[in-house]
Amino acid sequence: MVNPFMLNPAVSGTEDYTDIRLGFRKQWVNFEGAPRTMYLSAHTALGKSRVTNNRSKNKKNGFHGVGAIISNDVIGPTKNTTIDLAYSYHLQFAKNLYASLGIMGGLQQYSLNANMLHTANPDDALLVSSTNTSLADINTGFWIYSDKFFVGGSMVQVMPQKLYNAREGAISSGKLSQHYFITAGYRFPIGYDFALIPSFCVKAVAPAPISYDINAKLRYKDFLWAGVSYRNTDAIAFLAGVIINNTWDISYGYDYTTSDIRLYSAGSHEIVVGYRLKPKNRIICPSHFW
C-alpha cells in the first residue's frame, strides 16, 4: 500500500518527482527466526514533461521510468541480499490514462548459516557448511493507472534458479520459486478534501495457497492518511502516514496476527520513510498517492 514499486517494476516513473524510500519491517516480534526486511528504493521518470506536448496526429509519445532497489531479507538462518535496476516504458492513452511495462534485473546473494540449524542427522551432507550462492534476479510487470485508479500485475523471480543441487538422500534440490502479484485500487472522492481508496493484492507462489490482502485507506488532502488491511489467514493491519511540507512522508503499519503464531509473537511492525526529490523549474501537481 505504501510502495508498490517493491512488487512491480512498471511502477517506476509514475510520479512527477523522484520517489526515494527507506523501509524496515520486523515480522512476528518475539518469534524465534522471524523475518526481518530492510530496503532502499528510488525511481523517477525521464521525458514525462514532453508527453502531452510532443505528439503526432495518430500517436502519443511515451516516456521512460528508471529505478533501483537494494534489499536485505533475513529469515532464521537464511539471508538474501538483492540489488536490482528497473526500467519501464509508459504510454498515454487519454488525458489522464497511462499504461506501462517494466522489467527489473540484478543480482541476489543467498546465504545459509548451517550453524544456526539443529538437524536430526548431525552429518547431513547438505548442511555440513554454510551455503553462499549468487543468482541473477529478473522481475517483470505491467501497470495501468490514472489519477482515479490503478491495476497491475507482476512476476517476481522469473528464472526459477537452483540454490543448490540435490544430494544423496534428498527429496529435491532447492530453488527459487516464481511469485505472482495482482493489485488494483480506486479513489473515491469524499467532498473536496477527503478520498477513500479501497484496494486489493493477490499473491501466489507454488505450492503455497493463494494469499490476498483487502485494504481501505482514507486520505486527507496530500497530507494525512489512515488505513486498515486484512490478509487472509494471517493478520489485520492498521496503518497511518503523514506528508511533511509536500517533501517528506512517514508511514507506519502494525499487523495484529490472527493465525496461531499470535500465541508466540507480539505482531509485526513496519515503518517507511520517503523523500520526494522534485525537479527544478517545474510546477509539481499534488500527488495522488496510493
Side-chain angles (χ1 to χ4, degrees), residues 89-147:
Y89 185 73
H90 301 246
L91 281 175
Q92 183 181 23
F93 292 98
K95 183 178 180 180
N96 290 312
L97 179 62
Y98 298 85
S100 64
L101 293 174
I103 186 169
M104 182 183 294
L107 186 69
Q108 291 192 59
Q109 178 66 42
Y110 175 88
S111 63
L112 170 66
N113 185 355
N115 295 326
M116 295 179 63
L117 297 175
H118 304 281
T119 61
N121 178 9
D123 299 321
D124 192 320
L126 184 61
L127 301 174
V128 168
S129 61
S130 299
T131 298
N132 289 280
T133 307
S134 295
L135 302 169
D137 185 48
I138 299 178
N139 312 320
T140 62
F142 73 89
W143 197 254
I144 302 171
Y145 62 100
S146 74
D147 59 350

Side-chain angles (χ1 to χ4, degrees), residues 3-282:
N3 192 0
F5 175 53
M6 291 296 296
L7 301 182
N8 193 329
V11 174
S12 59
T14 53
E15 298 289 359
D16 290 330
Y17 49 82
T18 299
D19 187 12
I20 304 172
R21 293 184 180 273
L22 178 67
F24 174 76
R25 176 177 175 85
K26 185 168 180 60
Q27 189 163 320
W28 303 332
V29 174
N30 298 331
F31 191 89
E32 184 179 359
R36 185 179 74 249
T37 300
M38 293 180 289
Y39 72 81
L40 175 64
S41 72
H43 68 88
T44 191
L46 303 176
K48 189 173 184 179
S49 60
R50 299 192 300 269
V51 71
T52 56
N53 299 319
N54 183 15
R55 66 178 66 166
S56 65
K57 182 177 180 180
N58 299 316
K59 180 181 178 181
K60 298 174 180 177
N61 293 330
F63 62 94
H64 311 273
V66 294
I69 296 174
I70 302 174
S71 65
N72 178 261
D73 282 299
V74 178
I75 305 176
T78 66
K79 180 187 297 184
N80 190 31
T81 301
T82 304
I83 300 177
D84 283 326
L85 299 177
Y87 169 79
S88 62
Y89 185 73
H90 301 246
L91 281 175
Q92 183 181 23
F93 292 98
K95 183 178 180 180
N96 290 312
L97 179 62
Y98 298 85
S100 64
L101 293 174
I103 186 169
M104 182 183 294
L107 186 69
Q108 291 192 59
Q109 178 66 42
Y110 175 88
S111 63
L112 170 66
N113 185 355
N115 295 326
M116 295 179 63
L117 297 175
H118 304 281
T119 61
N121 178 9
D123 299 321
D124 192 320
L126 184 61
L127 301 174
V128 168
S129 61
S130 299
T131 298
N132 289 280
T133 307
S134 295
L135 302 169
D137 185 48
I138 299 178
N139 312 320
T140 62
F142 73 89
W143 197 254
I144 302 171
Y145 62 100
S146 74
D147 59 350
K148 291 182 170 57
F149 75 93
F150 66 88
V151 177
S154 62
M155 179 191 300
V156 177
Q157 296 176 169
V158 173
M159 302 168 60
Q161 303 169 88
K162 289 183 179 180
L163 294 173
Y164 52 83
N165 294 320
R167 308 290 180 91
E168 183 179 353
I171 298 175
S172 63
S173 59
K175 65 178 182 179
L176 298 176
S177 297
Q178 295 171 337
H179 293 244
Y180 302 89
F181 298 90
I182 297 175
T183 56
Y186 194 90
R187 183 173 65 91
F188 293 95
I190 303 176
Y192 184 77
D193 292 333
F194 290 88
L196 178 65
I197 306 170
S199 64
F200 70 84
C201 178
V202 178
K203 299 162 283 187
V205 55
I210 291 177
S211 175
Y212 60 84
D213 296 356
I214 299 175
N215 319 304
K217 177 187 290 186
L218 182 64
R219 194 185 81 194
Y220 174 67
K221 295 184 176 180
D222 193 24
F223 170 61
L224 194 67
W225 65 271
V228 63
S229 176
Y230 169 76
R231 182 175 301 115
N232 66 312
T233 70
D234 180 58
I236 298 174
F238 303 93
L239 309 97
V242 62
I243 292 83
I244 303 171
N245 197 27
N246 201 31
T247 300
W248 292 92
D249 66 79
I250 302 174
S251 305
Y252 169 76
Y254 171 75
D255 291 13
Y256 173 77
T257 307
T258 58
S259 67
D260 290 344
I261 293 178
R262 70 182 184 278
L263 302 175
Y264 309 97
S265 81
S268 305
H269 301 270
E270 183 168 356
I271 186 168
V272 178
V273 178
Y275 179 73
R276 302 176 180 182
L277 180 61
K278 305 170 188 176
K280 295 181 179 180
N281 302 321
R282 280 184 56 191

